[in-house]
Amino acid sequence: MGFQLRYPWPDLDPDDVAAPAIAVRLDITENRAEAAEHAHRKGQLVFALGGGVMCRVPDGLWMVPPHCGVWLPGGTRHTNIATANARILFVFVEPGAAELPDRCCTLSISPLLRELIIALSDHMLPDHGNAPLVAQLLLSELPRMPIQRLHLPISTEPRVQRIAAALADDPSDRSTMAEWADRMALSESSLARLILRETGLTFGRWRQQLHLIVALRELSAGASVQQVSTELGYESVTAFITMFKKALGKPPAKYLSDIVQGGSPAFAA
């Protein structure tokens, strides 16, 4: 299922636009949409005005939380996954136009930068009106944004990718480590070492990180705590809230409220 895109001008290829930065606003009208894997010559910032969005890259999943964006350096193969009625802004940055990270990362988005992104997306052409000045201000603000940590490391190891794909498709799957090991034709200890070596996390912590990503995506899209708790297979809402608070420092409602109000969330390590 692909995005139904509404570009501000037809036949857009951002790599062909001769501007240091351009911004494109997209409205998702499918129930759930995922673009085909692709890459751009330019770097890309994925920023959500509403709804939930994830970026999938070869070695991980990156959540786009409210008031944050995911930075993808030029040449990074990726696909963007959006929930229903998501409103997304893509900012394409010419290589060398600003000192930005050379790896995928989650960046905080200040209120000023948010308004600059929206303003740049409102221009029909990158050289129209105040667009060059807005782009210049945007590129001076973007490198100042703090890097946050909220992603699921996957690695290129086929068995790790298979488990990650299965859990992403059915996050409520509560199979034990022994059950997963049996499916992968490994001993339990071998699977534990494999997950730790490839992701830097224990199996339990790795699966919890996936749950946090899914939870934030769904909560950002308007799902209730009860709905998310059920989707993730928790026995009770209380158990889900306890996990969330232990990992991110705040219960779900408080966490999202603080982000919307411009607070400084405690992101998962």
Side-chain angles (χ1 to χ4, degrees), residues 17-82:
V17 178
I22 61 172
V24 179
R25 191 181 310 202
L26 302 144
D27 295 316
I28 308 304
T29 57
E30 299 284 359
N31 290 333
R32 183 177 183 272
E34 180 169 359
E37 186 178 79
H38 61 285
H40 304 285
R41 180 181 60 82
K42 295 186 177 187
Q44 180 182 11
L45 180 74
V46 181
F47 174 59
L49 285 173
V53 186
M54 285 193 302
C55 297
R56 189 196 307 271
V57 297
D59 61 353
L61 289 177
W62 294 83
M63 174 67 194
V64 185
H67 292 250
C68 289
V70 169
W71 169 249
L72 303 168
T76 302
R77 296 203 63 79
H78 65 281
T79 179
N80 299 307
I81 309 162

Side-chain angles (χ1 to χ4, degrees), residues 7-261:
Y7 286 123
W9 60 91
D11 302 321
L12 172 71
D13 184 343
D15 286 341
D16 292 339
V17 178
I22 61 172
V24 179
R25 191 181 310 202
L26 302 144
D27 295 316
I28 308 304
T29 57
E30 299 284 359
N31 290 333
R32 183 177 183 272
E34 180 169 359
E37 186 178 79
H38 61 285
H40 304 285
R41 180 181 60 82
K42 295 186 177 187
Q44 180 182 11
L45 180 74
V46 181
F47 174 59
L49 285 173
V53 186
M54 285 193 302
C55 297
R56 189 196 307 271
V57 297
D59 61 353
L61 289 177
W62 294 83
M63 174 67 194
V64 185
H67 292 250
C68 289
V70 169
W71 169 249
L72 303 168
T76 302
R77 296 203 63 79
H78 65 281
T79 179
N80 299 307
I81 309 162
T83 56
N85 302 318
R87 293 177 297 139
I88 310 172
L89 286 166
F90 292 157
V91 180
F92 296 98
V93 179
E94 188 70 23
E99 292 188 12
L100 292 163
D102 59 1
R103 57 184 174 85
C104 295
C105 59
T106 303
L107 300 175
S108 293
I109 303 295
S110 68
L112 172 59
L113 181 57
R114 177 183 184 274
E115 294 306 314
L116 289 170
I117 294 172
I118 293 172
L120 189 60
S121 73
D122 286 339
H123 290 283
M124 294 300 292
L125 294 171
D127 57 356
H128 178 266
N130 293 325
L133 176 58
V134 174
Q136 181 181 353
L137 292 172
L138 186 155
L139 291 175
S140 67
E141 180 75 359
L142 182 56
R144 299 178 56 246
M145 296 299 99
I147 295 177
Q148 306 290 357
R149 298 176 63 190
L150 188 57
H151 80 289
L152 180 73
I154 293 178
S155 93
T156 58
E157 209 285 331
R159 291 164 294 188
V160 176
Q161 288 193 335
R162 283 173 57 194
I163 297 173
L167 289 174
D169 288 340
D170 181 14
S172 66
D173 187 337
R174 291 290 177 166
S175 297
T176 64
M177 169 86 82
E179 289 169 332
W180 280 113
D182 186 59
R183 295 174 198 171
M184 298 297 117
L186 292 170
S187 68
E188 188 173 351
S189 59
S190 294
L191 179 59
R193 288 193 297 269
L194 177 67
I195 296 291
L196 184 61
R197 184 181 74 236
E198 294 294 324
T199 71
L201 302 173
T202 64
F203 178 80
R205 184 67 184 85
W206 185 60
R207 179 161 57 182
Q208 182 189 81
Q209 189 77 344
L210 172 69
H211 284 175
L212 289 169
I213 290 173
V214 172
L216 283 171
R217 181 191 69 195
E218 297 304 316
L219 291 168
S220 299
S224 68
V225 173
Q226 173 71 59
Q227 289 171 324
V228 174
S229 173
T230 301
E231 180 179 347
L232 296 180
Y234 282 83
E235 295 181 357
S236 67
V237 173
T238 300
F240 167 69
I241 293 175
T242 299
M243 180 281 294
F244 192 102
K245 184 176 180 180
K246 184 177 180 180
L248 297 182
K250 303 173 185 178
K254 176 65 173 173
Y255 181 90
L256 291 175
S257 174
D258 284 353
I259 293 178
V260 170
Q261 294 172 13

